[in-house]
Amino acid sequence: MKAVKFEIVEALRFAAGHTGGIEVYAKELAYPLPLPSTVLGALGAALGVRLGASVCERPFADLEALAEKLGGRSVDLFAERCEDPLLWGLLLEAGGHYYFARGGDLISVDNRGSYVDAALERKGFAADHRLRPNTRFGLKLAESRVAEPGYAYKVSFYGYDLESYPASLIYVANLASELAEKVVRLGGEGRVAKLSLSDLPKEIKELLSEESHYAIALSPVLFYAEGKIEPSSALGLKEVERIVGIPTSGAVKLRAENVGLGFSEVCKRRRPLLQALPPGTILKLKSAGAKAVGLLSCLGYGSLLKVRRIQSLQMARCA
C-alpha cells in the first residue's frame, strides 16, 4: 500500500452533473472534493493506462477495466463490502493535520470520537473548517457576438488553503506499478495537481489499523433502494446494521443523494447515477473488518474511517 498525495496548486472543479438551466443562462452544481472514480482516472492517465472501445459496451465496464489494470487483479464491482479496496480515502492534509469531509465542511480526524458521540446523543457538531466555492462565469459567443444559448454559465471552483497552509488530498492505494512525481489533470476545466506516491505515514497506518463497528464514510456509500431506505433491503447496504446519520452544526440528519460517477474519457459520456449516503455519514456496521462498504466499494467508494472508542458514552454508562 502507498500513500497517494495530490498537492493542490490551483482551485479545482468537480462537476456534479451536466451544466443546465434556462435556455440562455446555465448553472452548474459542483462537489467540493473529487469522487473515487475521478481519482482513479487521474491515476490511470498518469500511468499511461489505455482502454479499448469494448469497455463502453456495458455500464461501469470502463471503471472495472481501469481498476484491474491499476491494481493488477480482478475486481467485483457489486460486492457490498471490501477489506482491501483499490483506493481508500479521502483525507485532506494541511499543516500536519488530517481532516475528513462532511459536505463542504472539514473535521479533524482527532475529533472523530466526539463526532460519533454527538450523533449517538442526537446533538449537533461544529466543523473545524469550511470549504467555500469561488464562482466564475463562462461564455461562448455566437457569430452575432451574443451569448450562444446555454453557453452563458456559472461554475464553482474550490480552493483548499487552511490557515495559510497549502492543502493536499490524501488516499491509500493498492497499485501494481510505481509512479514518479508528476503534474496531472484533476477534475474539469483543465485543472491540475501535483501527484506523488510515498510510504504510508504513521498517522494513516494507525487509522487503517483501527477496527470498530462504528465508522464515518470518507466517500459516498453507493446503494440502490426503492422507496424507504432500509439497510436490510437496500442493495449495497447489507453490511450496515444502522445508519446513524450526520451530525450537522444544528442537528443529526439522515441524508441520501444521487451521485453521478463522473465522465468517461474513453466512452465520451457521463456514467450512470447511483444513490449514495454522503461523506460524513456515520454507520454502525455488522462486522468490524471492512475498510469500505456499498456498491463499487472495491474501487474506494464507501471508504470507512473507523472509530474504536466512544468515550463519552462509555463514561456515561459507568456513572
Side-chain angles (χ1 to χ4, degrees):
M1 291 188 293
K2 292 289 185 179
V4 175
K5 177 179 180 180
F6 290 93
E7 184 179 337
I8 307 302
V9 297
E10 61 180 344
L12 301 175
R13 169 180 167 252
F14 304 108
H18 293 289
T19 301
I22 60 176
E23 181 181 1
V24 175
Y25 185 78
K27 181 181 179 181
E28 177 189 71
L29 298 177
Y31 298 119
L33 295 161
L35 296 174
S37 47
T38 301
V39 174
L40 292 176
L43 290 172
L47 288 167
V49 173
R50 296 288 182 267
L51 302 177
S54 62
V55 301
C56 302
E57 296 174 358
R58 57 186 174 85
F60 308 122
D62 60 327
L63 285 178
E64 182 180 33
L66 174 60
E68 291 178 351
K69 286 181 177 292
L70 288 175
R73 58 182 179 175
S74 62
V75 295
D76 182 357
L77 294 185
F78 296 98
E80 298 192 32
R81 59 171 285 159
C82 189
E83 297 182 3
D84 189 24
L86 177 61
L87 201 67
W88 180 91
L90 78 116
L91 296 174
L92 191 143
E93 185 273 330
H97 299 283
Y98 292 92
Y99 302 87
F100 65 88
R102 181 188 64 191
D105 296 334
L106 297 177
I107 297 165
S108 172
V109 297
D110 295 335
N111 295 328
R112 62 191 184 279
S114 301
Y115 183 78
V116 174
D117 284 356
L120 292 175
E121 295 177 334
R122 314 314 290 176
K123 295 180 179 179
F125 194 90
D128 294 295
H129 298 280
R130 175 74 177 168
L131 297 176
R132 300 189 183 280
N134 176 14
T135 301
R136 305 181 187 183
F137 294 89
L139 185 66
K140 179 181 178 182
L141 295 179
E143 291 183 3
S144 58
R145 306 299 293 173
V146 297
E148 209 169 286
Y151 284 89
Y153 56 95
K154 183 167 68 173
V155 295
S156 295
F157 293 77
Y158 282 87
Y160 305 94
D161 288 346
L162 307 181
E163 297 179 351
S164 75
Y165 293 111
S168 298
L169 307 179
I170 306 296
Y171 298 85
V172 175
N174 290 290
L175 300 177
S177 304
E178 292 293 327
L179 176 65
E181 181 178 298
K182 61 173 59 180
V183 174
V184 297
R185 280 186 54 195
L186 186 63
E189 299 286 338
R191 297 283 146 160
V192 298
K194 185 186 294 184
L195 169 62
S196 61
L197 267 61
S198 66
D199 294 332
L200 295 183
K202 177 183 176 183
E203 297 88 345
I204 301 295
K205 286 182 179 180
E206 291 174 352
L207 293 175
L208 283 171
S209 67
E210 289 191 3
E211 292 193 358
S212 172
H213 289 276
Y214 285 97
I216 302 164
L218 297 179
S219 59
V221 180
L222 303 179
F223 67 92
Y224 175 78
E226 296 183 358
K228 186 178 180 181
I229 301 171
E230 295 287 352
S232 59
S233 58
L235 181 65
L237 300 181
K238 298 297 193 301
E239 294 296 321
V240 176
E241 181 176 319
R242 178 162 68 99
I243 304 169
V244 178
I246 303 174
T248 65
S249 57
V252 179
K253 299 182 179 181
L254 295 176
R255 290 178 178 165
E257 58 191 21
N258 291 322
V259 170
L261 303 185
F263 183 83
S264 173
E265 295 284 356
V266 176
C267 304
K268 303 302 179 186
R269 64 177 181 234
R270 286 200 168 274
R271 301 187 184 97
L273 292 170
L274 285 176
Q275 295 162 285
L277 301 174
T281 300
I282 297 167
L283 306 173
K284 185 178 182 183
L285 307 171
K286 293 180 179 178
S287 59
K291 293 290 189 295
V293 295
L295 303 177
L296 277 62
S297 56
C298 62
L299 303 184
Y301 282 93
S303 294
L304 300 173
L305 176 64
K306 300 295 183 64
V307 182
R308 185 184 301 169
R309 298 182 62 191
I310 307 172
Q311 297 178 346
S312 64
L313 290 185
Q314 290 174 340
M315 291 187 293
R317 293 191 187 103
C318 296

